[in-house]
Amino acid sequence: MYKIVEADFLAPDVKRFIIDAPKIARKRKPGQFVIVRVTDHGERVPLTIADSDIENGTITIIVQGIGKSTKQLNSLEKGQFIQDVVGPLGKASHIENFGTAVSIGGGVGTAIAFPTAKALKEAGNYTISIIGARSKNLVILENEMKAITDEVHVTTDDGSYGYHGFVTDKLKEIIGSGKKIDLVLAIGPIPMMRAIAEVTRPFGIKTIVSLNPVMVDGTGMCGGCRATVDNKTVFVCVDGPEFDAHQVDFETLIKRNRTYNVAEKEALNHICHYDAAFDSLKLQEAEGK
Ligand code: NAD
Ligand code: FES
């Protein structure tokens, strides 16, 4: 069991958890993730480690409550426990001094871009970040990004805050200004990552995306997280999660993700009597009955 040390909402449905997990905190590197199970029999949810504190033995994860399990996770509060936190999993981000690096976070993807952006700054890059959200109340980690990157640009789709437009529009503007960009890291919804890849492709700018397909075991055994990169099948959990954006087959990825939408909707609407019985047993156990 893993204790929640802090829990706070950063935006509607987006919650930050600081969790007591000293071994993971010691081992994790930027870009890696954990698989979380809220209860004994719960779904396994992959979540990027947004940050860690070795001294206090904690890791930070940021969760968008969109499905049954993430909503269940977001209902937990400081002092409560998460059943399992397994990791660190996946390959760490490739960090070096590229020159000028642009980190782009779309919505909750900003939480995933944050640790790699921080490491790129520490490696000596001139760092620019672009944070995009549908509107002002959905912008997350602006101050945290300001603390670790040289330039921060916030964009909103409705113009309620910062630059009025998509992250791609801001990126085009920066590239158009003649600034030499050596690396783009883009994390967010798949259509956003696909669009970024098309912005940078004509300029030959190295572009990395982080993929988050449905995962089961997280160790390369089940094949649930497969994607097509450079015309080859990869398992995102062990071969990624970061890949060259210009080689990712985004169309296949979108189709594969859609196949899980029906099951996710059914899970959200399903009232599980097994869950209720199990929770009641746990409550009785905790109350010493
Ligand atoms: P969102 O849909 O509000 O989009 C965030 C920003 O991305 C927008 O403000 C815009 O600037 C940009 N964007 C979106 N679509 C675009 C397009 N077609 N072209 C150009 N720019 C575009 O984001 P959200 O609701 O916070 O994101 C949720 C999605 O992100 C979910 O689908 C989730 O699965 C995904 N996600 C991905 C990762 C990852 O590792 N890649 C991690 C967490 C969440
Ligand atoms: Fe099973 Fe990746 S989650 S192979």
Side-chain angles (χ1 to χ4, degrees):
M1 298 281 267
Y2 292 78
K3 189 171 185 181
I4 299 168
V5 179
E6 289 293 337
D8 60 322
F9 277 100
L10 300 179
D13 294 331
V14 179
K15 199 163 185 176
R16 170 168 49 194
F17 293 96
I18 299 181
I19 300 164
D20 190 30
K23 280 190 193 154
I24 302 174
R26 267 199 307 276
K27 278 171 87 181
R28 61 72 61 162
K29 291 196 170 64
Q32 290 187 296
F33 63 95
V34 286
I35 286 193
V36 170
R37 263 194 329 162
V38 182
T39 58
D40 269 346
H41 50 293
E43 185 195 354
R44 298 158 67 88
V45 185
L47 294 161
T48 298
I49 306 168
D51 213 346
S52 65
D53 181 336
I54 298 176
E55 226 166 84
N56 290 318
T58 58
I59 59 165
T60 303
I61 54 171
I62 294 174
V63 185
Q64 187 180 35
I66 36 175
K68 184 185 176 189
S69 303
T70 47
K71 280 179 190 291
Q72 201 179 9
L73 187 52
N74 279 4
S75 70
L76 298 180
E77 298 295 346
K78 176 180 173 171
Q80 290 187 288
F81 290 84
I82 296 172
Q83 180 65 37
D84 291 325
V85 181
V86 177
L89 299 168
K91 287 187 179 162
S93 308
H94 174 75
I95 303 293
E96 62 173 69
N97 189 347
F98 294 96
T100 297
V102 181
S103 303
I104 303 170
V108 76
T110 305
I112 291 107
F114 176 79
T116 304
K118 187 176 172 187
L120 286 167
K121 175 71 186 156
E122 284 164 2
N125 289 280
Y126 182 80
T127 49
I128 300 171
S129 56
I130 306 175
I131 306 173
R134 269 167 279 143
S135 92
K136 185 179 179 180
N137 65 333
L138 298 172
V139 174
I140 61 165
L141 303 182
E142 183 185 356
N143 288 336
E144 288 82 349
M145 276 296 199
K146 277 186 179 153
I148 56 123
T149 54
D150 295 294
E151 277 176 44
V152 177
H153 303 273
V154 180
T155 70
T156 50
D157 304 2
D158 63 2
S160 52
Y161 187 55
Y163 177 92
H164 187 177
F166 280 177
V167 287
T168 37
D169 299 321
K170 191 69 203 174
L171 179 65
K172 281 181 200 160
E173 202 180 275
I174 295 171
I175 294 173
S177 74
K179 195 169 263 182
K180 184 177 174 295
I181 294 171
D182 303 288
L183 176 79
V184 167
L185 167 80
I187 308 179
I190 300 174
M192 179 206 103
M193 296 192 286
R194 181 178 54 183
I196 295 282
E198 293 318 313
V199 171
T200 58
R201 198 190 298 275
F203 298 94
I205 300 170
K206 184 181 171 67
T207 304
I208 302 294
V209 288
S210 178
L211 307 183
N212 74 328
V214 169
M215 290 190 190
V216 183
D217 62 310
T219 59
M221 306 281 282
C222 71
C225 66
R226 66 187 181 278
T228 308
V229 178
D230 195 17
N231 293 317
K232 296 182 198 79
T233 298
V234 296
F235 291 162
V236 173
C237 66
V238 286
D239 299 321
E242 291 181 3
F243 296 96
D244 180 340
H246 298 146
Q247 296 189 336
V248 172
D249 179 344
F250 287 106
E251 307 312 318
T252 311
L253 197 63
I254 288 169
K255 275 190 205 137
R256 275 190 62 76
N257 270 13
R258 270 196 208 126
T259 60
Y260 294 107
N261 286 355
V262 177
E264 185 57 58
K265 268 196 194 125
E266 278 174 2
L268 261 177
N269 296 329
H270 174 65
I271 298 162
C272 180
H273 298 294
Y274 176 69
D275 275 4
F278 187 85
D279 289 345
S280 142
L281 272 175
K282 283 228 144 176
L283 189 69
Q284 284 178 23
E285 204 178 280
E287 289 171 348
K289 287 183 189 161

